[in-house]
Amino acid sequence: MAVKHLWILIIGLFYLIGFAAPATARLQVVTTTEDLASLTHEVGGDKVEVNAIAKGYQDPHFVDPKPIYLIKLHKADLLIAVGLDMEAGWLPSLVQQSRNSSLFGQGDGYLDASVGCMILERLTGQVTRAMGDEHPLGNPHYWLDPLNGRIIAARIAAKLSALDPSSSDYFQSRLTDFNQRLQTALQRWGKQMAPYRGVKIVTYHNSWPNFVQRYGSQVVGYVEPKPGIPPSPSHTLDLIQQVKAQVIKIILVEPYFELRIPQKVARDSGAQVVLLMPSVGGNKQVEDYFSLFDYNLATLEQAFRDTGVTPPAEGQ
Amino acid sequence: MRRILGLAGLVLVALIWPHTTSAQTSADAVEDSLIHLTARMDSLSAQLGQTREIIQQQQQMIDVLMQQQAARSTAGISRSAAAPQQASNRLNPNISLVSDFRGRMGRDFSSDVRAFTLQETEIGIQAPVDPFARADAFLSLSPEGIEVEEGYITFQALPLGLQAKVGKFRSKFGKFNQTHGPETIFSDRPLASEAFFGEEGLAGVGTSLSLLISNPWIYLNLDAEITALPEEAPVFSDVDPTSGEYIAGGRRQDLMYLTRLETYVDLNESSNLLFGGTYATGVHDAAGDLRTHLESGDMTFRWRPLRRAVYHSLLWRTEVMFGQLKQPDGGTVNRVGLFSYIDLQFKRRWHLGERYDYTQFSDVPGPDEQGILGLLTFTPSEFSLLTVQARGVRRADGSWHGVGMMKITFNIGPHGTHPF
């Protein structure tokens, strides 16, 4: 009986402490990725407290729905998700168990960051898993186009203003500042990559369509035979032949994939494996949305120089 | 007149003279200005080009967005020109199917089990009911017929961090019991699970309340369930002395009460521990006089390095359960069961596992059983798996039996959530 009373006492104590915990004036925002957290911080400044679930060096398709995230989601004023089924394997169960009604059914506390962005590769017609782990609603790596970053930031500012109208001017002012800095950076990045428009590359996963569209490279092959399917020996041999035939010098790999197969392709074809960061937090140098592009473009530019890449002539 | 013309000539010479003397200097200055202007024009031209490019890119985005908007206004958000969906179809629930094909060889399985069986096909139907609740139903199609394995409505956000469930659902007695047969990594169930709860595990019809205990430090969740007494669980049944068959205990009004407290801690970003403790009680005789008390403790250790999460992982789970069954003579029969297993993902598509089983029986005092199982699993994708398993069991009579098993499962339909 004493044990039973002890349990009731402990649970009651936790519960009281939970309710007595001081409510913070800052909006509590949970984002599914560090990219969205960075954009939220750009706009929200010190009026928001942002927590990202997936780390930048983690494959955002495969995240364990740890119960610890429920504590954050339970108290969240806003959940910002990549959408397009990127988090289909883990976010729904967390939201369902969060006991936070504002997050259910894309409620007032939910923001799908993909809405309004330029989404590529929306699939038409029949979509089956024979095509691999495709995303029928479109490629979810859209934040890798900085113009989409501008749209996401604008929608975050609007959402934060709706949740905290008294800070609306603050959010709008930070958004304006962000847009100005992004505009300057866009010109710098465009100029940096201008000499390399049309260069053919291979990537591990189909993570880069928005990025290469903005900066002019052409993805002509993937290490994965189909999205989410590990490379097979026959596909790897075909890829080596393709890389050789098309004189491709660069193989882009995300930080969460093994390098063994890309390195074999590179070794047998004379190409170079280049590790790019698809997300903020991918490594220590990529600490915010601006450094994500600074790092990736500098790395890519250096790789182009090192391998003597020249863009194809017009019409090729 | 001459004087005037002479004066004008002098003025003209005076005006021209300084310029002709500095003509060389002026030409240099003009040339410099031209160079500066040309450079400035080049710079402005480049900026204009970049601005045009940005405007073109933004115009492209606007065009795409307007097309998407137009498509939405004419044919929902379907992008299939061939078969635009009706708006009502978008309200259809998610429907998924998991099928479980099994093969067995060896002499340690009952005579009515064939070498190959389509053990179970499970159809899941899931959707929000309204902004406040969602519904989940899992229909099990097996050689025995069609059964509603689970079917419940969940009220997701009640006050005070509560969540309520009403319907038929798997009981939260430990962690393993919550997993449907086709979704476990094993071709069988642990001996203790079968001995305590039968082939399908513990499930009941009733209601449950789940409380997320709000605190700043750790995850704590408390569940309470009240269900009709499960009909096929040996710990809530009596054995017919003549036929040897289990007879469901209790009267219509007898219920099973269950409570579970679960907590979770991150050891570091790659490893975590989940602990749970469960208590359940009900009766096991037809008159509803003899009470069963059950307690269990479970521990799950997970390791998954975030940078290589798709390639490597390890799960180690141990569950121990105790039962006390009141007897007609006033005594109590105590029972213990436990199982512990490890599942190691050593390559992206390959898993190696091992399980140890121990159990005593609710109806047979004295003897116990032990077993060991090893498995090798290949997962072509996250939607299918093939596993081969070998199990050795020391039966209650002391004899050892070995069996080889195979299990193939596949999953079609919308992407489900990965279990945790």
Side-chain angles (χ1 to χ4, degrees):
Chain A
M1 207 57 179
V3 174
K4 183 181 161 188
H5 287 155
L6 185 65
W7 271 116
I8 292 169
L9 188 69
I10 290 170
I11 291 166
L13 199 62
F14 269 111
Y15 210 68
L16 284 175
I17 290 167
F19 275 99
T24 168
R26 297 196 292 175
L27 285 173
Q28 300 295 306
V29 182
V30 176
T31 64
T32 56
T33 66
E34 292 200 58
D35 311 284
L36 297 175
S38 175
L39 289 169
T40 306
H41 182 71
E42 289 285 354
V43 176
D46 56 11
K47 300 272 186 188
V48 298
E49 185 175 330
V50 193
N51 285 285
I53 293 179
K55 301 286 184 196
Y57 45 80
Q58 182 178 12
D59 187 339
H61 301 84
F62 298 96
V63 175
D64 278 336
K66 298 177 186 176
I68 202 78
Y69 302 139
L70 293 176
I71 297 173
K72 300 286 183 195
L73 286 171
H74 182 57
K75 292 190 174 298
D77 299 300
L78 177 62
L79 166 63
I80 307 175
V82 171
L84 306 180
D85 283 349
M86 165 75 101
E87 304 100 339
W90 53 274
L91 189 60
S93 71
L94 287 174
V95 170
Q96 284 160 25
Q97 295 176 72
S98 69
R99 281 85 153 169
N100 186 339
S101 57
S102 69
L103 310 184
F104 297 152
Q106 306 202 350
D108 292 341
Y110 182 88
L111 181 70
D112 179 342
S114 71
V115 175
C117 290
M118 178 180 255
I119 304 301
L120 303 175
E121 301 174 356
R122 291 186 191 268
L123 301 179
T124 58
Q126 178 101 26
V127 180
T128 75
R129 293 234 182 92
M131 299 158 71
D133 199 3
E134 284 283 7
H135 294 270
L137 300 175
N139 192 297
H141 303 271
Y142 57 86
W143 68 85
L144 286 163
D145 179 347
L147 286 187
N148 278 339
R150 181 196 299 243
I151 294 167
I152 297 166
R155 293 193 62 242
I156 291 173
K159 193 70 171 177
L160 293 176
S161 298
L163 292 170
D164 181 8
S166 64
S167 302
S168 178
D169 290 345
Y170 175 82
F171 298 137
Q172 290 306 319
S173 147
R174 287 190 65 93
L175 177 65
T176 304
D177 177 60
F178 169 76
N179 282 339
Q180 284 170 354
R181 285 184 288 128
L182 189 66
Q183 189 64 35
T184 307
L186 272 166
Q187 290 177 9
R188 185 174 75 244
W189 295 330
K191 201 171 172 183
Q192 189 178 2
M193 282 293 107
Y196 304 104
R197 292 195 83 82
V199 172
K200 293 177 179 173
I201 59 172
V202 162
T203 71
Y204 194 108
H205 179 71
N206 186 13
S207 305
W208 307 95
N210 290 88
F211 183 82
V212 298
Q213 177 183 274
R214 181 61 52 217
Y215 295 111
S217 303
Q218 282 184 61
V219 178
V220 295
Y222 302 99
V223 176
E224 288 179 334
K226 289 180 178 176
I229 305 298
S232 63
S234 63
H235 175 75
T236 303
L237 290 174
D238 289 346
L239 187 64
I240 291 168
Q241 294 307 318
Q242 185 188 3
V243 170
K244 279 182 180 170
Q246 298 191 33
V247 199
I248 294 160
K249 296 292 185 185
I250 302 293
I251 301 170
L252 297 188
V253 182
E254 296 83 346
Y256 38 78
F257 288 121
E258 279 187 348
L259 294 172
R260 192 173 59 84
I261 299 293
Q263 281 173 341
K264 176 177 173 46
V265 175
R267 212 170 32 245
D268 292 359
S269 64
Q272 180 179 319
V273 170
V274 179
L275 210 60
L276 283 200
M277 300 301 141
S279 280
V280 173
N283 65 18
K284 286 181 180 170
Q285 292 152 275
V286 182
E287 55 190 16
D288 60 24
Y289 194 67
F290 287 95
S291 54
L292 174 68
F293 292 95
D294 282 336
Y295 176 85
N296 282 338
L297 293 174
T299 305
L300 201 53
E301 185 186 20
Q302 188 61 48
F304 285 151
R305 283 184 183 162
D306 291 348
T307 53
V309 160
T310 51
E314 286 292 327
Q316 279 193 340
Chain B
M1 187 63 184
R2 269 187 202 166
R3 195 173 290 173
I4 293 169
L5 284 173
L7 191 61
L10 282 172
V11 169
L12 190 64
V13 167
L15 285 171
I16 293 170
W17 180 254
H19 289 86
T20 51
T21 54
S22 63
Q24 190 62 43
T25 316
S26 298
D28 288 348
V30 168
E31 197 173 333
D32 282 351
S33 297
L34 279 173
I35 289 168
H36 283 306
L37 282 171
T38 308
R40 179 74 180 144
M41 281 177 64
D42 287 346
S43 168
L44 288 171
S45 176
Q47 284 183 27
L48 184 64
Q50 286 173 359
T51 309
R52 276 189 181 143
E53 193 181 339
I54 290 168
I55 291 169
Q56 279 175 358
Q57 289 163 353
Q58 289 176 335
Q59 187 58 50
Q60 285 171 8
M61 291 179 70
I62 291 167
D63 291 345
V64 169
L65 292 172
M66 288 182 73
Q67 285 168 11
Q68 289 174 1
Q69 187 61 38
R72 281 196 190 98
S73 62
T74 55
I77 60 166
S78 168
R79 283 160 294 281
S80 167
Q85 287 185 326
Q86 292 179 1
S88 59
N89 287 348
R90 298 179 56 211
L91 292 172
N92 283 344
N94 282 345
I95 299 174
S96 60
L97 181 147
V98 185
S99 209
D100 179 357
F101 172 82
R102 296 187 190 183
R104 294 183 178 209
M105 56 180 290
R107 60 195 182 95
D108 185 40
F109 55 95
S110 55
S111 57
D112 59 341
V113 176
R114 298 284 177 175
F116 293 109
T117 55
L118 185 60
Q119 180 79 10
E120 184 180 350
T121 296
E122 184 182 283
I123 297 172
I125 304 168
Q126 300 172 284
V129 176
D130 53 33
F132 318 106
R134 58 174 289 109
D136 299 81
F138 299 94
L139 308 177
S140 170
L141 285 64
S142 68
E144 286 79 43
I146 300 176
E147 184 192 0
V148 179
E149 188 166 350
E150 288 192 282
Y152 53 84
I153 182 170
T154 308
F155 300 94
Q156 299 177 104
L158 299 176
L160 306 176
L162 284 164
Q163 202 165 63
K165 196 187 276 189
V166 179
K168 182 179 182 184
F169 47 85
R170 299 189 72 82
S171 301
K172 287 191 173 178
F173 193 92
K175 286 296 282 183
F176 185 84
N177 187 68
Q178 299 173 40
T179 312
H180 294 186
E183 284 145 25
T184 72
I185 58 172
F186 303 117
S187 294
D188 61 354
R189 296 191 77 81
L191 294 176
S193 175
E194 274 195 37
F196 278 60
F197 307 127
E199 290 180 1
E200 302 300 327
L202 191 64
V205 180
T207 184
S208 82
L209 269 181
S210 183
L211 172 68
L212 183 64
I213 300 171
S214 184
N215 73 88
W217 307 293
I218 59 168
Y219 166 81
L220 268 178
N221 197 84
L222 181 68
D223 287 280
E225 299 177 2
I226 301 174
T227 61
L229 212 56
E231 293 180 6
E232 296 174 3
V235 286
F236 297 117
S237 306
D238 260 353
V239 177
D240 185 331
T242 53
S243 67
E245 296 284 316
Y246 284 111
I247 306 166
R251 299 153 298 169
R252 282 189 300 176
Q253 66 268 36
D254 286 320
L255 301 170
M256 182 185 79
Y257 303 90
L258 180 148
T259 182
R260 173 177 172 79
L261 183 66
E262 189 174 278
T263 186
Y264 166 95
V265 284
D266 269 327
L267 301 177
N268 52 50
E269 70 167 23
S270 305
S271 316
N272 52 71
L273 274 171
L274 190 144
F275 295 99
T278 315
Y279 168 75
T281 184
V283 295
H284 65 91
D285 69 316
D289 296 328
L290 303 175
R291 187 150 287 277
T292 298
H293 299 277
L294 299 171
E295 304 87 25
S296 86
D298 55 86
M299 186 276 300
T300 305
F301 170 77
R302 279 187 177 81
W303 169 77
R304 185 189 285 269
L306 297 191
R307 292 170 199 274
R308 288 289 180 270
V310 292
Y311 298 99
H312 304 296
S313 65
L314 179 117
L315 180 145
W316 173 36
R317 174 169 291 156
T318 299
E319 297 194 17
V320 57
M321 52 191 79
F322 305 92
Q324 301 88 44
L325 286 77
K326 279 283 179 194
Q327 299 300 304
D329 60 6
T332 300
V333 173
N334 295 307
R335 293 291 169 258
V336 178
L338 78 86
F339 57 90
S340 181
Y341 63 88
I342 288 177
D343 177 33
L344 170 69
Q345 180 191 8
F346 62 97
K347 290 190 78 170
R348 181 163 180 173
R349 292 166 142 177
W350 291 93
H351 292 242
L352 201 58
E354 181 276 335
R355 190 184 79 210
Y356 170 76
D357 284 336
Y358 174 84
T359 192
Q360 296 172 334
F361 296 90
S362 61
D363 55 320
V364 187
D368 56 19
E369 287 187 350
Q370 291 185 66
I372 189 135
L373 177 143
L375 61 87
L376 180 67
T377 301
F378 175 67
T379 55
S381 73
E382 57 179 313
F383 306 107
S384 62
L385 70 78
L386 162 66
T387 176
V388 289
Q389 312 191 352
R391 188 181 79 176
V393 177
R394 183 187 58 74
R395 290 296 182 196
D397 61 5
S399 61
W400 272 92
H401 294 248
V403 60
M405 300 176 286
M406 177 195 75
K407 174 179 172 181
I408 297 173
T409 65
F410 56 87
N411 177 347
I412 57 175
H415 195 308
T417 304
H418 304 135
F420 187 83

